[in-house]
Amino acid sequence: MGGTAVVVGGGIGGLAAALGLRRIGWEVRVVERAAVLADAGAGISLHANGLRALDAVGVGQEVRAAARPQYTGGTRTPDGRWLSRMDGRLLERELGSPIVGIPRAVLHRLLRSALPAECLLVGATVRTLDLSDPDRVGVPVGDGVLDADLVVAADGVHSRLRGLLFPDHPGAVYGGSTVLRAVTEDPVEVRTDFELTWGAGAEFGHIGFTDGRAEWHAVLNAPAGVRHTDPLGMLRGRFGGWHEPIPTLLAATRPEAVLHHDIHELVTPLPSFAAGRVALLGDAAHAMTPHLGQGACQALEDAATLAAALAGEPTVGAALTRYDAERRPRAQSVARAARQAGRMGQQLSHPLALAVRNTGLRLAPSRATMRAILRHADWTPPSLV
Protein backbone atom coordinates (compact mmCIF):
# COMPACT_ATOMS: atom_id res chain seq x y z
CA MET A 1 0.00 0.00 0.00
CA GLY A 2 1.31 3.42 -0.96
CA GLY A 3 -0.18 6.86 -0.79
CA THR A 4 0.26 10.53 -0.01
CA ALA A 5 0.88 11.76 3.53
CA VAL A 6 1.12 15.17 5.15
CA VAL A 7 3.16 15.33 8.35
CA VAL A 8 2.25 18.35 10.47
CA GLY A 9 5.31 19.28 12.52
CA GLY A 10 8.99 19.20 11.58
CA GLY A 11 10.44 18.09 14.91
CA ILE A 12 12.27 14.85 15.64
CA GLY A 13 9.16 12.67 15.52
CA GLY A 14 7.67 14.32 12.45
CA LEU A 15 10.87 14.11 10.43
CA ALA A 16 11.41 10.48 11.44
CA ALA A 17 7.83 9.68 10.42
CA ALA A 18 8.43 11.27 7.03
CA LEU A 19 11.58 9.18 6.56
CA GLY A 20 9.75 5.99 7.50
CA LEU A 21 6.86 6.74 5.15
CA ARG A 22 9.18 7.51 2.27
CA ARG A 23 11.04 4.28 2.95
CA ILE A 24 7.86 2.28 2.33
CA GLY A 25 7.07 4.18 -0.87
CA TRP A 26 4.78 6.98 0.26
CA GLU A 27 4.88 10.55 -1.02
CA VAL A 28 5.32 12.89 1.93
CA ARG A 29 5.12 16.61 2.68
CA VAL A 30 6.26 17.94 6.06
CA VAL A 31 4.56 21.18 7.08
CA GLU A 32 6.42 23.16 9.75
CA ARG A 33 5.13 26.45 11.16
CA ALA A 34 8.60 27.88 11.86
CA ALA A 35 9.67 30.14 9.01
CA VAL A 36 13.33 29.26 9.51
CA LEU A 37 14.61 25.90 10.71
CA ALA A 38 17.19 27.34 13.07
CA ASP A 39 18.11 24.00 14.68
CA ALA A 40 17.51 25.38 18.15
CA GLY A 41 17.76 23.23 21.23
CA ALA A 42 20.30 21.87 23.65
CA GLY A 43 21.11 18.18 23.81
CA ILE A 44 19.43 14.84 23.93
CA SER A 45 20.16 11.31 25.12
CA LEU A 46 19.06 8.46 22.88
CA HIS A 47 18.54 5.00 24.34
CA ALA A 48 18.79 1.76 22.37
CA ASN A 49 15.09 1.83 21.48
CA GLY A 50 15.42 5.25 19.86
CA LEU A 51 18.53 4.20 17.98
CA ARG A 52 16.82 1.05 16.73
CA ALA A 53 13.90 3.15 15.50
CA LEU A 54 16.36 5.41 13.68
CA ASP A 55 17.87 2.30 12.08
CA ALA A 56 14.40 1.31 10.89
CA VAL A 57 13.77 4.67 9.19
CA GLY A 58 17.25 4.68 7.64
CA VAL A 59 19.46 7.12 9.57
CA GLY A 60 20.72 5.14 12.56
CA GLN A 61 24.28 4.83 11.28
CA GLU A 62 24.62 8.58 10.69
CA VAL A 63 23.24 9.42 14.13
CA ARG A 64 25.55 6.96 15.89
CA ALA A 65 28.56 8.44 14.09
CA ALA A 66 27.67 11.92 15.35
CA ALA A 67 26.84 10.91 18.94
CA ARG A 68 28.97 10.29 22.01
CA PRO A 69 28.42 6.99 23.84
CA GLN A 70 27.59 7.36 27.51
CA TYR A 71 29.72 4.77 29.27
CA THR A 72 30.45 6.57 32.54
CA GLY A 73 28.39 8.59 34.97
CA GLY A 74 25.42 8.18 37.26
CA THR A 75 23.49 10.06 39.93
CA ARG A 76 25.01 12.16 42.71
CA THR A 77 24.10 14.41 45.63
CA PRO A 78 24.94 18.15 45.58
CA ASP A 79 28.10 17.53 47.62
CA GLY A 80 29.32 15.04 44.99
CA ARG A 81 28.62 11.72 46.70
CA TRP A 82 27.48 8.97 44.35
CA LEU A 83 23.99 7.54 44.72
CA SER A 84 24.24 5.17 41.78
CA ARG A 85 26.58 4.49 38.89
CA MET A 86 25.73 3.97 35.25
CA ASP A 87 27.35 1.01 33.50
CA GLY A 88 27.26 1.86 29.81
CA ARG A 89 29.24 -1.25 28.92
CA LEU A 90 26.58 -3.44 30.50
CA LEU A 91 23.87 -1.67 28.49
CA GLU A 92 25.93 -2.16 25.36
CA ARG A 93 26.27 -5.87 26.07
CA GLU A 94 22.56 -6.26 26.81
CA LEU A 95 21.15 -4.05 24.04
CA GLY A 96 23.90 -3.68 21.47
CA SER A 97 24.31 0.03 22.24
CA PRO A 98 24.92 2.29 25.21
CA ILE A 99 22.90 5.44 25.65
CA VAL A 100 24.35 8.17 23.41
CA GLY A 101 24.36 11.95 23.63
CA ILE A 102 23.93 14.27 20.65
CA PRO A 103 23.07 17.96 20.17
CA ARG A 104 19.43 18.33 19.14
CA ALA A 105 20.56 20.62 16.33
CA VAL A 106 22.75 17.87 14.88
CA LEU A 107 19.98 15.28 15.15
CA HIS A 108 17.53 17.64 13.44
CA ARG A 109 19.97 18.30 10.61
CA LEU A 110 20.67 14.60 10.05
CA LEU A 111 16.96 13.80 9.87
CA ARG A 112 16.23 16.75 7.59
CA SER A 113 19.16 16.12 5.27
CA ALA A 114 17.86 12.60 4.61
CA LEU A 115 14.71 14.11 3.08
CA PRO A 116 14.52 15.81 -0.32
CA ALA A 117 14.24 19.56 0.10
CA GLU A 118 10.91 19.59 -1.74
CA CYS A 119 9.37 17.50 1.07
CA LEU A 120 9.67 20.40 3.52
CA LEU A 121 7.21 23.27 3.63
CA VAL A 122 8.26 25.78 6.27
CA GLY A 123 6.58 28.90 7.59
CA ALA A 124 3.12 27.36 7.23
CA THR A 125 0.63 26.71 10.02
CA VAL A 126 -2.02 24.02 9.83
CA ARG A 127 -4.98 25.34 11.81
CA THR A 128 -7.63 22.84 10.81
CA LEU A 129 -8.33 19.79 8.68
CA ASP A 130 -11.06 19.01 6.16
CA LEU A 131 -12.40 15.66 7.34
CA SER A 132 -15.58 15.67 5.25
CA ASP A 133 -14.37 12.90 2.90
CA PRO A 134 -13.81 9.57 4.71
CA ASP A 135 -11.30 8.52 2.05
CA ARG A 136 -9.14 11.66 2.01
CA VAL A 137 -8.01 14.49 4.30
CA GLY A 138 -7.73 18.07 3.16
CA VAL A 139 -4.95 20.08 4.80
CA PRO A 140 -5.44 23.83 4.30
CA VAL A 141 -2.03 25.50 3.96
CA GLY A 142 -1.77 29.14 2.96
CA ASP A 143 -4.04 29.77 0.00
CA GLY A 144 -4.22 26.11 -1.01
CA VAL A 145 -5.17 22.69 0.26
CA LEU A 146 -2.92 19.61 0.38
CA ASP A 147 -4.82 16.43 -0.39
CA ALA A 148 -3.70 13.40 1.63
CA ASP A 149 -4.50 9.76 2.25
CA LEU A 150 -2.99 10.18 5.71
CA VAL A 151 -2.15 13.03 8.06
CA VAL A 152 0.42 12.60 10.82
CA ALA A 153 -0.18 15.04 13.67
CA ALA A 154 3.29 15.62 15.09
CA ASP A 155 2.61 19.20 16.16
CA GLY A 156 3.90 18.99 19.70
CA VAL A 157 2.79 19.09 23.30
CA HIS A 158 0.13 21.76 22.69
CA SER A 159 -1.07 20.08 19.50
CA ARG A 160 -3.74 22.04 17.68
CA LEU A 161 -4.76 18.92 15.75
CA ARG A 162 -5.16 16.87 18.93
CA GLY A 163 -7.60 19.48 20.15
CA LEU A 164 -9.48 19.30 16.85
CA LEU A 165 -9.76 15.50 16.94
CA PHE A 166 -10.45 15.16 20.66
CA PRO A 167 -12.22 18.39 21.68
CA ASP A 168 -13.24 17.02 25.10
CA HIS A 169 -9.69 16.09 26.10
CA PRO A 170 -8.18 18.51 28.64
CA GLY A 171 -4.86 18.65 26.78
CA ALA A 172 -1.42 19.07 28.27
CA VAL A 173 -1.07 20.37 31.83
CA TYR A 174 1.84 21.82 33.75
CA GLY A 175 3.78 19.10 35.55
CA GLY A 176 5.14 21.26 38.38
CA SER A 177 8.69 21.61 37.07
CA THR A 178 10.51 24.02 34.79
CA VAL A 179 13.73 23.37 32.88
CA LEU A 180 16.61 25.64 31.90
CA ARG A 181 19.30 24.28 29.60
CA ALA A 182 22.11 25.20 27.27
CA VAL A 183 25.18 23.94 25.47
CA THR A 184 28.56 25.31 26.56
CA GLU A 185 30.27 27.73 24.21
CA ASP A 186 33.55 25.81 24.12
CA PRO A 187 34.82 22.37 25.12
CA VAL A 188 34.86 21.77 28.87
CA GLU A 189 36.55 19.21 31.09
CA VAL A 190 33.98 16.68 32.33
CA ARG A 191 35.13 13.40 33.77
CA THR A 192 31.96 11.47 32.95
CA ASP A 193 29.81 11.14 29.87
CA PHE A 194 26.54 11.72 31.71
CA GLU A 195 25.50 12.78 35.21
CA LEU A 196 22.43 13.71 37.21
CA THR A 197 22.59 15.44 40.57
CA TRP A 198 19.52 15.49 42.82
CA GLY A 199 18.91 18.10 45.47
CA ALA A 200 15.70 19.22 47.15
CA GLY A 201 13.21 19.90 44.36
CA ALA A 202 16.05 20.37 41.88
CA GLU A 203 18.11 18.40 39.39
CA PHE A 204 21.23 19.34 37.47
CA GLY A 205 22.57 17.12 34.71
CA HIS A 206 25.06 17.13 31.88
CA ILE A 207 25.71 15.22 28.65
CA GLY A 208 29.09 15.22 26.92
CA PHE A 209 29.30 15.64 23.13
CA THR A 210 31.85 14.37 20.65
CA ASP A 211 33.34 17.85 20.11
CA GLY A 212 34.13 18.31 23.80
CA ARG A 213 31.25 20.65 24.52
CA ALA A 214 28.56 19.64 26.96
CA GLU A 215 24.85 20.14 27.35
CA TRP A 216 23.55 20.88 30.81
CA HIS A 217 20.05 21.14 32.18
CA ALA A 218 18.59 22.36 35.44
CA VAL A 219 15.09 21.21 36.43
CA LEU A 220 13.40 23.03 39.29
CA ASN A 221 10.12 22.83 41.15
CA ALA A 222 8.46 26.17 40.38
CA PRO A 223 5.09 27.76 39.62
CA ALA A 224 4.21 27.83 35.94
CA GLY A 225 5.27 30.89 33.98
CA VAL A 226 8.05 32.12 36.29
CA ARG A 227 10.85 33.73 34.30
CA HIS A 228 14.09 35.46 35.34
CA THR A 229 15.71 38.61 34.00
CA ASP A 230 19.10 36.93 34.40
CA PRO A 231 18.52 33.15 34.14
CA LEU A 232 22.20 32.24 34.16
CA GLY A 233 22.84 34.43 37.17
CA MET A 234 19.94 32.80 38.99
CA LEU A 235 21.36 29.36 38.25
CA ARG A 236 24.84 30.33 39.40
CA GLY A 237 23.31 31.40 42.70
CA ARG A 238 21.13 28.31 42.98
CA PHE A 239 23.80 25.75 42.04
CA GLY A 240 27.06 27.57 42.79
CA GLY A 241 27.69 25.45 45.89
CA TRP A 242 27.10 22.14 44.13
CA HIS A 243 29.95 19.88 43.12
CA GLU A 244 32.09 20.21 40.00
CA PRO A 245 31.68 20.30 37.06
CA ILE A 246 28.39 22.19 37.68
CA PRO A 247 29.96 25.62 38.37
CA THR A 248 32.36 25.08 35.46
CA LEU A 249 29.52 24.24 33.07
CA LEU A 250 27.61 27.36 34.04
CA ALA A 251 30.74 29.50 33.71
CA ALA A 252 31.32 28.13 30.19
CA THR A 253 27.85 29.19 29.00
CA ARG A 254 26.81 32.38 27.25
CA PRO A 255 23.77 34.01 28.91
CA GLU A 256 21.90 34.23 25.61
CA ALA A 257 22.31 30.47 25.06
CA VAL A 258 20.06 29.55 27.99
CA LEU A 259 16.65 28.14 27.03
CA HIS A 260 13.78 28.07 29.54
CA HIS A 261 10.62 25.98 29.19
CA ASP A 262 7.94 24.81 31.57
CA ILE A 263 7.31 21.07 31.45
CA HIS A 264 3.85 20.05 30.31
CA GLU A 265 2.50 16.52 29.99
CA LEU A 266 -0.63 14.61 29.03
CA VAL A 267 -1.76 13.43 32.44
CA THR A 268 -5.11 12.33 31.00
CA PRO A 269 -4.29 9.59 28.46
CA LEU A 270 -5.76 9.89 24.99
CA PRO A 271 -8.41 7.28 24.15
CA SER A 272 -6.70 6.63 20.81
CA PHE A 273 -3.62 7.63 18.84
CA ALA A 274 -5.67 7.67 15.65
CA ALA A 275 -8.89 9.24 14.41
CA GLY A 276 -10.12 8.58 10.90
CA ARG A 277 -7.12 9.03 8.64
CA VAL A 278 -5.09 11.01 11.18
CA ALA A 279 -2.36 9.48 13.35
CA LEU A 280 -1.06 11.31 16.41
CA LEU A 281 2.65 10.97 17.08
CA GLY A 282 5.20 12.06 19.67
CA ASP A 283 4.25 14.78 22.14
CA ALA A 284 0.93 15.29 20.37
CA ALA A 285 0.02 11.74 21.40
CA HIS A 286 1.81 11.20 24.71
CA ALA A 287 3.71 14.25 25.98
CA MET A 288 5.67 13.11 29.03
CA THR A 289 8.06 14.56 31.58
CA PRO A 290 11.79 14.21 30.78
CA HIS A 291 12.68 12.22 33.88
CA LEU A 292 13.37 8.96 32.02
CA GLY A 293 14.93 10.56 28.93
CA GLN A 294 12.39 8.70 26.80
CA GLY A 295 10.32 11.47 25.17
CA ALA A 296 12.16 11.58 21.84
CA CYS A 297 12.75 7.82 21.87
CA GLN A 298 9.03 7.18 22.16
CA ALA A 299 8.36 9.55 19.25
CA LEU A 300 10.92 7.64 17.19
CA GLU A 301 9.23 4.38 18.12
CA ASP A 302 5.96 5.91 16.92
CA ALA A 303 7.50 6.79 13.56
CA ALA A 304 8.93 3.32 12.92
CA THR A 305 5.77 1.56 14.09
CA LEU A 306 3.50 3.73 11.95
CA ALA A 307 5.55 3.03 8.83
CA ALA A 308 5.58 -0.71 9.55
CA ALA A 309 1.82 -0.77 10.05
CA LEU A 310 1.20 1.03 6.77
CA ALA A 311 3.59 -1.32 4.99
CA GLY A 312 1.93 -4.41 6.42
CA GLU A 313 -1.78 -3.64 6.31
CA PRO A 314 -4.07 -3.44 3.26
CA THR A 315 -5.80 -0.17 4.21
CA VAL A 316 -4.98 3.03 6.09
CA GLY A 317 -7.77 2.27 8.55
CA ALA A 318 -6.36 -1.16 9.37
CA ALA A 319 -2.86 0.29 9.66
CA LEU A 320 -3.94 2.98 12.10
CA THR A 321 -5.86 0.47 14.19
CA ARG A 322 -2.67 -1.59 14.42
CA TYR A 323 -0.55 1.50 15.15
CA ASP A 324 -2.82 2.51 18.02
CA ALA A 325 -2.88 -1.01 19.45
CA GLU A 326 0.90 -1.34 19.35
CA ARG A 327 1.89 2.13 20.47
CA ARG A 328 -0.69 3.46 22.91
CA PRO A 329 -0.25 0.94 25.77
CA ARG A 330 3.54 1.17 25.68
CA ALA A 331 3.86 4.94 25.27
CA GLN A 332 1.30 5.67 27.98
CA SER A 333 3.03 3.21 30.31
CA VAL A 334 6.37 4.96 29.77
CA ALA A 335 4.69 8.34 30.40
CA ARG A 336 3.35 7.09 33.73
CA ALA A 337 6.78 5.75 34.66
CA ALA A 338 8.41 9.09 33.76
CA ARG A 339 5.93 10.94 35.99
CA GLN A 340 6.68 8.57 38.87
CA ALA A 341 10.43 8.90 38.30
CA GLY A 342 10.10 12.66 38.62
CA ARG A 343 8.16 12.39 41.86
CA MET A 344 10.79 10.12 43.37
CA GLY A 345 13.71 11.99 41.84
CA GLN A 346 13.92 15.66 40.91
CA GLN A 347 10.60 16.75 42.44
CA LEU A 348 11.19 15.21 45.87
CA SER A 349 11.87 17.95 48.42
CA HIS A 350 11.04 16.81 51.98
CA PRO A 351 14.29 16.17 53.90
CA LEU A 352 13.15 12.83 55.35
CA ALA A 353 11.94 11.60 51.97
CA LEU A 354 15.24 12.65 50.39
CA ALA A 355 17.21 10.76 53.03
CA VAL A 356 15.15 7.58 52.58
CA ARG A 357 15.44 7.72 48.79
CA ASN A 358 19.18 8.41 48.82
CA THR A 359 19.84 5.57 51.25
CA GLY A 360 17.80 3.20 49.10
CA LEU A 361 19.72 4.15 45.99
CA ARG A 362 23.10 3.74 47.67
CA LEU A 363 22.18 0.28 48.91
CA ALA A 364 20.60 -0.93 45.68
CA PRO A 365 22.85 -3.11 43.50
CA SER A 366 23.94 -1.48 40.25
CA ARG A 367 22.18 -4.21 38.32
CA ALA A 368 18.84 -2.99 39.72
CA THR A 369 19.51 0.48 38.36
CA MET A 370 20.34 -0.97 34.97
CA ARG A 371 17.16 -3.07 34.97
CA ALA A 372 15.13 0.13 35.26
CA ILE A 373 16.77 1.44 32.09
CA LEU A 374 16.49 -1.88 30.28
CA ARG A 375 12.77 -2.11 31.01
CA HIS A 376 12.08 0.86 28.73
CA ALA A 377 15.01 0.74 26.30
CA ASP A 378 14.73 -2.92 25.27
CA TRP A 379 12.39 -2.51 22.30
CA THR A 380 12.71 -3.86 18.78
CA PRO A 381 10.97 -2.15 15.86
CA PRO A 382 8.64 -4.08 13.60
CA SER A 383 9.86 -4.75 10.09
CA LEU A 384 9.13 -2.11 7.43
CA VAL A 385 9.19 -4.69 4.64
Side-chain angles (χ1 to χ4, degrees), residues 42-44 181-184 205-209 213-217 249:
I44 188 170
R181 54 195 168 194
V183 176
T184 60
H206 77 254
I207 302 168
F209 295 147
R213 296 181 303 152
E215 182 265 6
W216 58 261
H217 71 266
L249 290 167

Side-chain angles (χ1 to χ4, degrees), residues 78-90:
D79 62 5
R81 288 177 296 169
W82 289 99
L83 295 174
S84 65
R85 298 270 192 168
M86 180 183 70
D87 187 346
R89 298 289 180 185
L90 185 151

Side-chain angles (χ1 to χ4, degrees), residues 68 103 106 183-188 207-215:
R68 173 172 165 172
V106 173
V183 176
T184 60
E185 178 73 2
D186 298 306
V188 291
I207 302 168
F209 295 147
T210 56
D211 62 3
R213 296 181 303 152
E215 182 265 6

Side-chain angles (χ1 to χ4, degrees), residues 83-85 357-369:
L83 295 174
S84 65
R85 298 270 192 168
R357 181 206 58 200
N358 290 355
T359 299
L361 281 173
R362 288 194 187 98
L363 295 177
S366 59
R367 181 74 191 189
T369 303

Side-chain angles (χ1 to χ4, degrees), residues 5-366:
V6 173
V7 177
V8 181
I12 292 170
L15 292 172
L19 289 171
L21 291 170
R22 281 182 54 81
R23 202 163 205 208
I24 62 169
W26 281 59
E27 296 181 13
V28 184
R29 295 295 301 276
V30 179
V31 182
E32 167 56 45
R33 66 181 179 179
V36 178
L37 295 174
D39 293 317
I44 188 170
S45 290
L46 294 173
H47 294 241
N49 55 320
L51 292 168
R52 290 172 180 174
L54 288 165
D55 288 333
V57 301
V59 291
Q61 183 175 350
E62 292 83 355
V63 172
R64 284 181 173 84
R68 173 172 165 172
Q70 295 175 4
Y71 289 117
T72 60
T75 305
R76 304 171 78 175
T77 59
D79 62 5
R81 288 177 296 169
W82 289 99
L83 295 174
S84 65
R85 298 270 192 168
M86 180 183 70
D87 187 346
R89 298 289 180 185
L90 185 151
L91 288 175
E92 189 171 45
R93 289 193 300 271
E94 294 282 346
L95 300 175
S97 172
I99 303 169
V100 302
I102 187 171
R104 281 182 177 268
V106 173
L107 179 57
H108 275 241
R109 285 198 297 270
L110 290 171
L111 292 168
R112 198 171 67 246
S113 64
L115 289 168
E118 60 269 20
C119 286
L120 299 171
L121 178 59
V122 300
T125 299
V126 176
R127 302 184 184 280
T128 188
L129 299 173
D130 180 355
L131 303 173
S132 59
D133 185 344
D135 297 323
R136 306 288 290 173
V137 181
V139 185
V141 178
D143 296 329
V145 177
L146 299 176
D147 193 38
D149 298 295
L150 169 73
V151 168
V152 179
D155 52 340
V157 60
H158 299 296
S159 169
R160 187 189 302 269
L161 298 187
R162 182 183 62 227
L164 175 70
L165 298 169
F166 299 99
D168 296 328
H169 190 274
V173 298
Y174 182 55
S177 301
T178 193
V179 58
L180 297 94
R181 54 195 168 194
V183 176
T184 60
E185 178 73 2
D186 298 306
V188 291
E189 180 66 31
V190 291
R191 296 184 178 181
T192 57
D193 301 316
F194 168 83
E195 280 185 20
L196 293 178
T197 300
W198 284 342
E203 170 186 298
F204 196 101
H206 77 254
I207 302 168
F209 295 147
T210 56
D211 62 3
R213 296 181 303 152
E215 182 265 6
W216 58 261
H217 71 266
V219 189
L220 303 166
N221 291 350
V226 172
R227 293 297 181 267
H228 304 274
T229 55
D230 180 10
L232 192 56
M234 180 277 294
L235 292 171
R236 286 171 175 163
R238 179 69 175 78
F239 294 100
W242 288 30
H243 66 81
E244 286 290 351
I246 293 171
T248 295
L249 290 167
L250 294 174
T253 302
R254 292 182 295 110
E256 59 271 24
V258 179
L259 305 173
H260 189 177
H261 298 97
D262 289 343
I263 297 172
H264 290 78
E265 58 172 324
L266 287 186
V267 174
T268 302
L270 282 176
S272 177
F273 284 4
R277 287 178 170 263
V278 183
L280 287 96
L281 183 147
D283 283 348
H286 46 70
M288 63 188 69
T289 67
H291 298 102
L292 289 178
Q294 274 288 334
C297 291
Q298 292 302 304
L300 293 169
E301 285 190 23
D302 292 345
T305 303
L306 177 61
L310 289 162
E313 298 297 331
T315 66
V316 170
L320 294 191
T321 297
R322 172 177 154 184
Y323 167 71
D324 176 60
E326 292 183 3
R327 287 301 306 143
R328 183 158 51 92
R330 173 167 164 79
Q332 291 177 347
S333 174
V334 174
R336 289 192 298 271
R339 188 179 310 123
Q340 183 63 24
R343 289 172 178 168
M344 296 302 296
Q346 171 265 315
Q347 292 181 327
L348 207 61
S349 59
H350 192 280
L352 180 58
L354 290 170
V356 170
R357 181 206 58 200
N358 290 355
T359 299
L361 281 173
R362 288 194 187 98
L363 295 177
S366 59

